[in-house]
Amino acid sequence: GENVEQHPSTLSVQEGDSAVIKCTYSDSASNYFPWYKQELGKGPQLIIDIRSNVGEKKDQRIAVTLNKTAKHFSLHITETQPEDSAVYFCAASTSGGGADGLTFGKGTHLIIQP
Amino acid sequence: NAGVTQTPKFQVLKTGQSMTLQCAQDMNHEYMSWYRQDPGMGLRLIHYSVGAGITDQGEVPNGYNVSRSTTEDFPLRLLSAAPSQTSVYFCASSYSLTASGGAFNQETQYFGPGTRLLVL
């Protein structure tokens, strides 16, 4: 089955700096790659996603890049703010998303230092 | 819309007890899933359903049963709780849209707030 590796497990950055979280996947058939943000005591919330026919997608301060050849994708957050502090999960799917669920990375705890 | 709702928010069980975790969604989503989240393990898929009357196993199905009698509800049953089932459980639902030209389906999962389960 699919295996998703996520790095780093903890990332501390100064407020205003950029943060980058990287994931690799094993199944070349994967075609959908969402990123989730999870705040303490809450369920994961989708923040951005990308599909295999696109190399990059941006939404305000958040961007995701996908390299299908290398089988890795990354989350980029620019101009970080205190409210960006949370755990971020990457995921991959071979069914385009929800039909048979998502395979998640183990998460990155992002800490924004004031 | 309430989105995805889960009850209870927190539950303590003794080993061997049974219980049902409830999940409901009011978005008319076809797909529903159950995940468990353990420290350092991320989220792992337990069971999923692609529509009423259809369920299938995920990565970690042992010790859990599910059914999908309606589009809205997808309960998760623990038949005989074990300490290894202490975890946070998340239910998710998603819709399916066919992209223009029918290239592939687009599906985005929405998660509920979770149920924290402690098995003693």
Side-chain angles (χ1 to χ4, degrees):
Chain A
E2 174 67 279
N3 182 49
V4 177
E5 299 283 342
Q6 183 173 347
H7 299 280
S9 57
T10 303
L11 177 61
S12 181
V13 301
Q14 290 294 124
E15 182 178 350
D17 288 349
S18 296
V20 180
I21 302 171
K22 299 181 179 181
C23 288
T24 61
Y25 60 98
S26 62
D27 192 338
S28 57
S30 288
N31 55 15
Y32 176 65
F33 308 92
W35 285 89
Y36 286 86
K37 176 183 181 181
Q38 186 177 27
E39 298 176 335
L40 194 62
K42 297 184 178 180
Q45 183 178 13
L46 179 74
I47 56 172
I48 196 167
D49 57 11
I50 192 168
R51 291 173 173 81
S52 57
N53 62 340
V54 176
E56 184 175 357
K57 184 177 179 181
K58 188 175 182 180
D59 183 4
Q60 299 182 346
R61 296 187 297 109
I62 296 174
V64 57
T65 59
L66 171 65
N67 183 327
K68 288 191 295 181
T69 302
K71 289 191 283 188
H72 69 70
F73 55 112
S74 300
L75 177 71
H76 305 253
I77 305 174
T78 59
E79 301 174 6
T80 53
Q81 301 171 2
E83 54 265 35
D84 295 330
S85 293
V87 179
Y88 292 81
F89 292 95
C90 63
S93 169
T94 59
S95 63
D100 58 355
L102 298 164
T103 300
F104 283 83
K106 294 184 178 180
T108 295
H109 186 192
L110 177 61
I111 302 167
I112 307 300
Q113 302 280 5
Chain B
N1 288 347
V4 180
T5 58
Q6 291 183 239
T7 57
K9 291 185 178 179
F10 183 71
Q11 182 72 47
V12 179
L13 291 178
K14 295 181 179 179
T15 297
Q17 286 186 315
S18 63
M19 79 160 293
T20 299
L21 281 65
Q22 301 291 344
C23 174
Q25 53 91 8
D26 60 358
M27 298 173 282
N28 201 31
H29 285 174
E30 300 167 54
Y31 305 148
M32 296 185 75
S33 310
W34 276 103
Y35 295 84
R36 60 177 289 173
Q37 184 175 32
D38 302 294
M41 297 294 293
L43 290 94
R44 292 181 292 170
L45 182 66
I46 304 172
H47 285 284
Y48 65 95
S49 169
V50 298
I54 306 171
T55 63
D56 207 343
Q57 296 180 350
E59 180 185 356
V60 288
N62 293 341
Y64 307 95
N65 281 350
V66 292
S67 60
R68 184 93 180 272
S69 57
T70 66
T71 299
E72 294 77 19
D73 301 298
F74 191 42
L76 178 72
R77 298 182 184 87
L78 283 70
L79 301 178
S80 179
S84 61
Q85 293 179 305
T86 293
S87 187
V88 182
Y89 291 85
F90 289 100
C91 178
S93 73
S94 58
Y95 58 89
S96 173
L97 298 174
T98 301
S100 175
F104 53 81
N105 292 335
Q106 301 179 38
E107 302 157 7
T108 301
Q109 292 210 356
Y110 296 88
F111 283 82
T115 293
R116 293 181 177 275
L117 177 65
L118 174 62
V119 183
L120 301 174

